[in-house]
Amino acid sequence: MELARLWKSVLAEIELSVSKATYHTHFAHSELLTLDGEVATVGFPSPLMRTMAETRYYSLIKSTLDHKTNGNTSLVFTVLPKKESASSDAGPLFVQSVEL
């Protein structure tokens, strides 16, 4: 199964198990980065979200992923690299004009 599709399926099941706010705060922007054998690497957008996943939601994520893969998966959590902005040549937000 493709990683993105597998993770979407896992997230759909997790969404039913947690509150809407919890899902959108902690899971909506996560990604399944790799699934090598029985080790899955899951990325989160910030260190805080990664820590929350490790401390509060490890068993939920593991049991859901195990159910979807029919395996016994070990989880590794990481922080996703920041995406480059579309325009790195952005100018100032405001330009002060001087009238003489």
Side-chain angles (χ1 to χ4, degrees):
M1 184 181 276
E2 179 188 324
L3 289 179
R5 193 168 31 160
L6 171 61
W7 192 242
K8 188 174 183 176
S9 175
V10 168
L11 289 178
E13 194 167 317
I14 288 174
E15 188 173 16
L16 298 174
S17 302
V18 298
S19 71
K20 188 173 185 174
T22 298
Y23 175 80
H24 286 289
T25 301
H26 299 291
F27 297 103
H29 302 289
S30 63
E31 296 178 29
L32 180 60
L33 301 174
T34 63
L35 182 58
D36 295 325
E38 294 190 358
V39 177
T41 302
V42 182
F44 292 87
S46 75
L48 177 63
M49 289 181 194
R50 184 202 67 204
T51 300
M52 292 294 284
E54 284 178 330
T55 57
R56 292 192 180 181
Y57 301 110
Y58 184 95
S59 60
L60 174 63
I61 297 168
K62 179 181 172 15
S63 65
T64 306
L65 189 57
D66 286 351
H67 177 260
K68 296 292 180 183
T69 61
N70 296 320
N72 183 15
T73 310
S74 295
L75 299 175
V76 175
F77 297 111
T78 188
V79 177
L80 295 168
K82 293 198 185 284
K83 294 186 169 100
E84 292 290 324
S85 63
S87 174
S88 60
D89 297 332
L93 184 58
F94 298 100
V95 177
Q96 183 177 11
S97 63
V98 179
E99 292 185 34
L100 298 173

